[in-house]
Amino acid sequence: EEAVQVSTRAETTMPEKVKKQFKSQPVRLYVKGVVLGFRRGLRNQYSDTSLLKIENVQDKKATEFYLGKRVVYIYKAETEKKGTKYRTIWGRVTRAHGSSGTVRAKFLRNLPPKAMGGRVRVMLYPSRI
């Protein structure tokens, strides 16, 4: 007649993890892009103008929205300056290049050759609408 109490894991009260709820989702204020290389002809290369391919831009008409937008190339350096190892080179989309959605951009300092194939952020400002 003695009742043996068996405690199962489901019965024990464990503190539930409190989920942090954001009021809104974090917003990405840039569009991803890739550095294709420099503007060039058959024999000459003009390293003051970089060619960029912006994500989901497939034709010349779609590039019009991005003209004048700020572009940033972010890279990591060995030594820490201003409290961070990340450095930036800022630029601006100047015009379309060809008919397949590629754009030209000029940076404050020319991009280094290691930037070819690297990611850039095309900011959604300044707005022209």
Side-chain angles (χ1 to χ4, degrees):
E1 292 181 21
E2 284 182 29
V4 179
Q5 187 143 17
V6 179
S7 164
T8 61
R9 188 171 174 94
E11 289 176 2
T12 59
T13 57
M14 298 186 75
E16 292 184 28
K17 285 187 181 177
V18 178
K19 263 194 174 178
K20 207 180 229 185
Q21 291 192 349
F22 294 101
K23 291 177 183 169
S24 65
Q25 289 291 324
V27 179
R28 180 163 50 99
L29 291 175
Y30 63 88
V31 179
K32 295 176 184 178
V34 178
V35 179
L36 300 179
F38 299 122
R39 183 170 69 94
R40 55 168 298 173
L42 184 61
R43 292 169 184 85
N44 297 331
Q45 172 176 283
Y46 304 97
S47 54
D48 60 336
T49 306
S50 301
L51 301 179
L52 310 176
K53 184 67 181 167
I54 302 172
E55 204 172 65
N56 300 322
V57 177
Q58 306 298 339
D59 57 351
K60 193 169 189 172
K61 189 165 178 61
T63 63
E64 291 175 13
F65 172 79
Y66 294 99
L67 301 185
K69 297 284 190 268
R70 303 289 305 275
V71 184
V72 63
Y73 170 69
I74 301 173
Y75 62 100
K76 194 172 183 181
E78 191 68 33
T79 57
E80 195 171 298
K81 290 195 176 181
K82 298 180 184 176
T84 179
K85 288 187 176 184
Y86 290 99
R87 314 251 171 97
T88 60
I89 302 176
W90 285 89
R92 195 175 292 273
V93 176
T94 55
R95 56 173 287 186
H97 180 83
S99 59
S100 64
T102 304
V103 295
R104 298 181 192 181
K106 282 188 176 278
F107 288 83
L108 292 177
R109 299 182 63 197
N110 296 348
L111 290 182
K114 74 169 189 176
M116 289 187 196
R119 285 274 181 194
V120 291
R121 294 179 178 184
V122 182
M123 301 299 178
L124 297 176
Y125 55 83
S127 175
R128 295 190 308 130
I129 336 177

